[in-house]
Amino acid sequence: MRPPTTPRERSTPEPAPEPAPEPPPDRAASPVVPGGSATTSTDRTPPSAEPSSPAPEPVTDLSDLPPAWTWRRARAAWPALVLLLALALWAYAVRQTDVSRLDDFGLVTALHPSFWAGLAMLTAGFWLTVRDPERSRVWPAAYVLGLLVMERATQAVLYPTPLYAWAWKHDGVVEHLLTAGELQGADQVGDMAVYDQWPGFFAAQAALVRLLGVDSAAMYMAWWPLVSSLMLLLPLLLIYRTFTEDRRLIWTAVWLFYVANWVGQDYFSPQSVAFALHLGVLAVVLRRYGRAGGAGDRRGQALWTAAIAVMAVTAVISHQLTPAMLAATLLVLCLLRRYRDWVPLVTVVSIFLAWCLTAALPFLSAALPEMLRSVGDVGANVSTGYGTTPTGTGAVATSWAARLLSGSVLLLGAAGVWRQRVLRHRALPLLLIAVAPLPMLVANSYGSEMIFRVLMFMLPGVAFFAAAALLPKVRTLAGEAREQETVRAAAPRRRALVVGGPLVALLALTLAFVPSYSGKDRINYFPPEEVELVQRVFDEATEGSLVVAANRNYPLAYASYGSVDHYWFLEDDRRHVDAIVEDPAATLARDMRGVERPGRAYFLFTQGQVANSEMNGQLDGAQLERIRKSVAGSPRFRLVAENSAGSVYQLRQEGGAAR
């Protein structure tokens, strides 16, 4: 024990200890504190000294930092990365694709390979996303929108002019309505009567042209396939959500619907809008007229009946076939006890009959005998006929691609009905919707297009069951989670078949859409030179003029149809076509000589007519070129205009008539 110090001793400072010699730099070592980390002598602070500010603790282990990119973050971000990469490949393909020289395979061989890579990547990303139960519901919708962009916007971006002669025809009707202020009356029933008696779509488009302040509907109709396809999305979702809450089934059905809808009725046409209205009425009926006790709530039903009436009126005054398809579908649904409310059916049929017996009566009176003769003639109603038979390697290949696509989806739909027993009962209305259009094959040929329209109206139901065939068995909504656990716990080989097999099928169907939808773009695309050439004809043609061409496959074919007549000689009987081929200039001059002054007679020859004639089994290119050379070398005709897309000749006039 140390004795206590005196005051003197406490006031006398102790001598400072001598500093320890620093070790050599290469042998400096830091004493190790047990249980701690190594420190140097400069890190130690005398016990009696208080640091003025806390020194930052040195970081010596980088593993303590949070990782910049974790597996969880990567797993959450991959759907966005795949989607963006697929769209980037599509954008690159669009920039690298040249459509100036299309062959008989249309856009299929013209597309840059990166397009196919992007479409395949989009399909794989969608399938893996939609099957992931932990994934957000937003991603399937984003992938479907990406599909619509790649499917329906590619042509609008690639081609400088709108596709399809029929779209240009509808633009001519809108233009006539804008310039004349009215369509033809009942006393002028002719080739355009079917449009004059159902003017709803054209009146709406004329108002839209005025509202947008554009020159014509041709300014935006190239984008109409994308717009009309988007119009179908909401009613499809409402219909499918009526029967299931399984997002896998809903979004896969939507994907298959768009992939299998290759028939081309999404272009600028009354059918595109009427079909969306058709699905809208079905969505209301299935969701609001099929619930227990729903029919008893008359106040609520009155509002929905009014909505059905508005959609039905819009469809009835715009299109001839869609209201009949809608009435047949509603009649079939009424056979079920769950939907035995006759108000929607009576509403649609009443509006349909009222229009047919008033505004559309002139056309129906003239067409009714032929319509009655076609009833029951299934062979004639589904046959293609002369001038609509695919000819050539490209046309035949794309035709078979479309048939295989439709056949595969129909087979998948049948497999889904067989595999998913619960859906056969729960989604029986969708099965009836799929079969309801079939009797129309017996009723009429609809210009050799009835089989395609029937397929389109069947698709909402068929796509639902086809999607069910690609998915694991769905028993109940509650059992879905148990099923997911079963799939995860399955053997690797079986799990690969469950996931990989349907993905391969979905990928094949998605890729087959491109040749089915765009394989005939050689027929449907009109370069700017062809548009300019035809426009010159109608700029010069006076009232009472006649335009003669091989067929109607050229732009602006119905421009000024109120004052300029048309004649397409390949639509005559075959004997007259043979006479034209044998002596073109003399035969055509005789056909055109009835035009009186101030009218003029023109012979129009374009590359669109050649493509249509060759690929649809009419005259080949050599025969058409022989006709053109005969007209060009005849003194009866004079050359009016010519460019890389074709030529125009006018029949010389003598006296008061063109000869």
Side-chain angles (χ1 to χ4, degrees), residues 483-567:
E483 180 189 350
Q484 291 288 339
E485 295 299 329
T486 303
V487 172
R488 292 193 190 97
R493 182 177 180 182
R494 180 185 173 190
R495 183 178 177 183
L497 291 175
V498 170
V499 178
L503 173 58
V504 172
L506 189 67
L507 184 60
L509 294 174
T510 304
L511 295 178
F513 171 85
V514 180
S516 304
Y517 186 76
S518 305
K520 294 186 177 181
D521 278 7
R522 183 190 166 208
I523 295 177
N524 298 323
Y525 169 54
F526 310 111
E529 296 81 10
E530 188 168 353
V531 177
E532 179 185 355
L533 182 70
V534 179
Q535 184 65 62
R536 180 171 176 178
V537 175
F538 290 104
D539 288 342
E540 294 185 1
T542 57
E543 186 172 358
S545 294
L546 171 68
V547 176
V548 177
N551 52 55
R552 62 185 76 195
N553 192 62
Y554 52 91
L556 301 165
Y558 290 83
S560 305
Y561 71 88
S563 58
V564 177
D565 200 5
H566 300 80
Y567 167 53

Side-chain angles (χ1 to χ4, degrees), residues 169 172-200 202-203 355 358-363 543 558-566:
K169 179 180 182 179
V173 179
V174 175
E175 187 66 23
H176 178 77
L177 187 58
L178 287 169
T179 54
E182 60 182 1
L183 295 176
Q184 294 177 342
D187 57 336
Q188 297 173 303
V189 174
D191 188 51
M192 302 298 289
V194 70
Y195 302 103
D196 302 329
Q197 311 305 312
W198 282 270
F202 306 107
W355 186 261
T358 54
L361 186 59
F363 172 82
E543 186 172 358
Y558 290 83
S560 305
Y561 71 88
S563 58
V564 177
D565 200 5
H566 300 80

Side-chain angles (χ1 to χ4, degrees), residues 279-532:
L279 294 182
V281 172
L282 292 183
V284 172
V285 171
L286 293 174
R287 293 183 67 85
R288 297 300 174 182
Y289 286 82
R291 295 180 177 179
D297 187 3
R298 295 304 172 189
R299 288 178 298 180
Q301 295 292 358
L303 295 176
W304 292 114
T305 301
I308 290 175
V310 170
M311 289 187 284
V313 167
T314 307
V316 164
I317 67 176
S318 299
H319 200 244
Q320 315 83 42
L321 180 63
T322 302
M325 288 284 194
L326 179 59
T329 305
L330 293 177
L331 177 61
V332 171
L333 287 177
C334 284
L335 301 178
L336 293 178
R337 180 177 301 177
R338 183 180 178 186
Y339 295 96
R340 197 163 293 172
D341 192 326
W342 296 88
V343 173
L345 176 62
V346 172
T347 301
V348 171
V349 172
S350 299
I351 296 171
F352 185 36
L353 291 177
W355 186 261
C356 291
L357 295 176
T358 54
L361 186 59
F363 172 82
L364 293 176
S365 299
L368 189 59
E370 180 63 28
M371 294 171 62
L372 292 177
R373 282 194 297 268
S374 66
V375 174
D377 192 357
V378 181
N381 290 343
V382 300
S383 64
T384 54
Y386 171 69
T388 55
T389 303
T391 305
T393 304
V396 172
T398 55
S399 176
W400 273 105
R403 295 177 187 181
L404 291 174
L405 173 58
S406 297
S408 299
V409 173
L410 290 173
L411 289 176
L412 280 176
V417 173
W418 177 72
R419 287 186 65 241
Q420 307 285 5
R421 294 183 179 180
V422 66
L423 293 182
R424 286 204 297 257
H425 171 73
R426 182 169 186 173
L428 181 59
L430 282 178
L431 183 59
L432 296 179
I433 288 174
V435 301
L438 289 175
M440 288 297 177
L441 293 174
V442 182
N444 195 271
S445 67
Y446 203 70
S448 300
E449 289 191 358
M450 182 60 76
I451 188 171
F452 303 114
R453 306 301 175 96
V454 167
L455 175 64
M456 183 178 69
F457 281 93
M458 291 175 63
L459 268 182
V462 172
F464 183 82
F465 289 100
L470 293 179
L471 293 169
K473 203 157 189 138
V474 178
R475 296 176 177 83
T476 62
L477 294 178
E480 180 186 345
R482 295 194 300 270
E483 180 189 350
Q484 291 288 339
E485 295 299 329
T486 303
V487 172
R488 292 193 190 97
R493 182 177 180 182
R494 180 185 173 190
R495 183 178 177 183
L497 291 175
V498 170
V499 178
L503 173 58
V504 172
L506 189 67
L507 184 60
L509 294 174
T510 304
L511 295 178
F513 171 85
V514 180
S516 304
Y517 186 76
S518 305
K520 294 186 177 181
D521 278 7
R522 183 190 166 208
I523 295 177
N524 298 323
Y525 169 54
F526 310 111
E529 296 81 10
E530 188 168 353
V531 177
E532 179 185 355

Side-chain angles (χ1 to χ4, degrees), residues 18 68 86 89 132 144 181 213 225 238 243 253 288 304 360 365 407 430 457 494 525 559 620 641 653:
E18 294 182 4
L89 289 172
D132 191 346
V144 167
L238 292 176
F243 303 100
R288 297 300 174 182
W304 292 114
S365 299
L430 282 178
F457 281 93
R494 180 185 173 190
Y525 169 54
D620 58 33
Q653 294 178 316

Side-chain angles (χ1 to χ4, degrees), residues 161-293:
T161 58
L163 294 178
Y164 302 113
W166 291 100
W168 287 94
K169 179 180 182 179
H170 297 154
D171 176 55
V173 179
V174 175
E175 187 66 23
H176 178 77
L177 187 58
L178 287 169
T179 54
E182 60 182 1
L183 295 176
Q184 294 177 342
D187 57 336
Q188 297 173 303
V189 174
D191 188 51
M192 302 298 289
V194 70
Y195 302 103
D196 302 329
Q197 311 305 312
W198 282 270
F201 173 80
F202 306 107
Q205 294 302 322
L208 183 60
V209 168
R210 291 280 176 83
L211 180 64
L212 296 177
V214 296
D215 294 335
S216 68
M219 302 296 293
Y220 59 83
M221 68 184 186
W223 293 93
W224 196 258
L226 178 61
V227 173
S228 62
S229 297
L230 288 172
M231 288 192 297
L232 304 178
L233 184 56
L234 178 59
L236 278 176
L237 291 175
L238 292 176
I239 290 173
Y240 293 153
R241 285 181 61 85
T242 305
F243 303 100
T244 182
E245 295 180 5
D246 186 347
R247 70 186 183 98
R248 302 173 306 163
L249 182 55
I250 292 171
W251 286 108
T252 305
V254 171
W255 185 281
L256 286 176
F257 172 85
Y258 283 124
V259 164
N261 190 19
W262 59 267
V263 295
Q265 294 305 313
D266 54 356
Y267 73 104
F268 186 73
S269 64
Q271 175 73 92
S272 62
V273 177
F275 187 52
L277 296 169
H278 169 85
L279 294 182
V281 172
L282 292 183
V284 172
V285 171
L286 293 174
R287 293 183 67 85
R288 297 300 174 182
Y289 286 82
R291 295 180 177 179

Side-chain angles (χ1 to χ4, degrees), residues 17-25 27-29 41-42 44:
E18 294 182 4
E22 295 185 5
R27 301 185 61 183
S41 59
T42 56
R44 291 186 300 228

